Amino acid sequence: MDIEDLQTFVAVADAGGVSAAARRLGVSKSIVSRRLFRIEAELGVQLLARTTRGAALTEAGITFRDHAARASAEIDTARETILPTGDLRGRLRVAMPLSFGPTHFAPVLAEMAHQHPQLQIHTSYSDRFVDLIAEGFDCAIRVGYLQDSNLIAKRIGPIYGKLVASPDYIKTRGSPQTPDELVTHQALMQGTEAWQFMDGDKIVTVQPQGRFKADNATALAAAAVAGLGIAWLPDCITYDYVTSGALVPIMTRYPPPSAGAYVIRPPGQHPARKVRVLTEMLIKSFELNPHLWGSAADHDQREA
């Protein structure tokens, strides 16, 4: 039985359909369909019940899927073991945030492509939470506070943030000194989120209000520079603005709790080696470039 047929069946089973599996594997839908036909003909049973909305596993398919996944994983492990150290092949599909993925994470991917010329890297930049399995991604970079899920997360570095406003806004509207005073100010938000701040060892939660909202942190930074309100943004977004004086940190006695950046991957016993290599490179990037993610002095003060 062809290992590619096994891997294709597992991809279809996990993605819930031929189209999603084809995107994940980087092949046409007709190739996926042919591989499924071959494996069902070999076994003499129907593994998938095709519908207009995708594909569902039959009882036989449910049983066979676990065996096929284990066999595929063993073959992948064997291939990685015999390949020369550092020699990555195949394709890596990564989802990254649009806000600062192109500026902060893209150089790491470029370096990875340079070090591994046989590896194909396809990146999608969006601030929405992609469905890794259905959309066929090997992994994603997510920033902030992770929601509970069955995905596996590896922390690659800390994310610090602060409240900022333009000098013109502060001159006109003043600067809040405590979280309670934020309710009288215009907040620049992504939606209806709550803002959290550290008051010593306690976390204070505030429900800000504002008329300007955007689902992209870079857009919120631009709105803050224009004097439209106060924004709570990661240091990696505001670093250049604060350095130039276009934005000013405010309410610094109550810093937001630190968050994190994570590599997220679908559940599985062992991560693919290409995902492990990317994760290690991202961790190293955080360690070597702390100025991109916030002031070292601020980090020390917050962690003290």
Side-chain angles (χ1 to χ4, degrees):
M1 190 173 293
D2 193 290
I3 185 62
E4 284 191 336
D5 292 351
L6 283 178
Q7 292 172 330
T8 298
F9 165 68
V10 174
V12 173
D14 291 348
V18 170
S19 296
R23 288 194 299 270
R24 181 173 187 176
L25 296 170
V27 299
S28 68
K29 291 188 291 183
S30 61
I31 290 177
V32 171
S33 296
R34 285 199 298 270
R35 290 175 180 175
L36 290 176
F37 176 80
R38 284 199 301 265
I39 201 169
E40 287 181 328
E42 176 78 16
L43 292 171
V45 296
Q46 184 179 4
L47 300 175
L48 292 156
R50 281 77 166 179
T51 68
T52 56
R53 302 184 61 182
L57 291 174
T58 63
E59 184 175 354
I62 293 173
T63 301
F64 188 69
R65 186 261 169 214
D66 291 338
H67 292 285
R70 285 197 294 270
S72 298
E74 287 295 330
I75 292 296
D76 287 341
T77 301
R79 284 174 173 169
E80 290 182 357
T81 301
I82 63 175
L83 283 174
T85 302
D87 187 9
L88 295 179
R89 299 175 183 270
R91 188 178 64 149
L92 174 64
R93 292 197 72 219
V94 188
M96 289 198 174
L98 177 62
S99 293
F100 45 87
T103 54
H104 290 68
F105 294 133
V108 177
L109 286 176
E111 177 61 24
M112 187 177 185
H114 180 72
Q115 293 182 13
H116 305 280
Q118 300 302 316
L119 180 67
Q120 300 178 46
I121 300 179
H122 297 179
T123 312
S124 175
Y125 293 96
S126 173
D127 284 332
R128 71 181 179 88
F129 274 19
V130 301
D131 186 327
L132 296 187
I133 296 175
E135 298 182 48
F137 287 99
D138 295 292
C139 64
I141 310 300
R142 291 185 181 167
V143 173
Y145 307 100
L146 292 183
Q147 300 176 349
D148 292 336
S149 74
N150 64 339
L151 301 175
I152 297 175
K154 172 66 175 180
R155 192 172 186 268
I156 56 176
I159 297 292
Y160 295 92
K162 58 171 64 76
L163 282 185
V164 292
S166 71
D168 287 343
Y169 180 89
I170 295 172
K171 182 178 179 180
T172 303
R173 299 290 302 273
S175 175
Q177 300 301 310
T178 66
D180 291 341
E181 295 179 17
L182 279 173
V183 295
T184 64
H185 286 267
Q186 283 290 319
L188 307 174
M189 301 179 293
Q190 293 194 14
T192 58
E193 71 271 16
W195 287 358
Q196 292 185 332
F197 304 95
M198 299 302 300
D199 183 3
D201 294 331
K202 298 186 302 181
I203 295 180
V204 179
T205 302
V206 176
Q207 295 287 342
Q209 301 296 321
R211 64 184 181 89
F212 189 95
K213 298 181 180 181
D215 63 356
N216 179 272
T218 304
L220 293 177
V225 171
L228 294 179
I230 295 172
W232 175 24
L233 294 169
D235 289 354
C236 52
I237 295 292
T238 61
Y239 177 79
D240 289 336
Y241 294 115
V242 171
T243 301
S244 68
L247 291 176
V248 178
I250 60 176
M251 213 174 77
T252 55
R253 288 181 55 202
Y254 299 89
S258 63
Y262 301 85
V263 172
I264 310 296
R265 64 177 177 85
Q269 186 174 6
H270 300 292
R273 182 160 162 254
K274 56 192 174 183
V275 175
R276 295 201 308 269
V277 170
L278 174 60
T279 301
E280 292 165 1
M281 292 181 68
L282 288 167
I283 290 173
K284 185 176 180 180
S285 176
F286 267 83
E287 294 173 348
L288 296 178
N289 302 285
H291 62 285
L292 293 178
W293 308 102
S295 165
D298 287 346
H299 294 191
D300 293 341
Q301 181 180 357
R302 294 174 190 180
E303 294 174 354

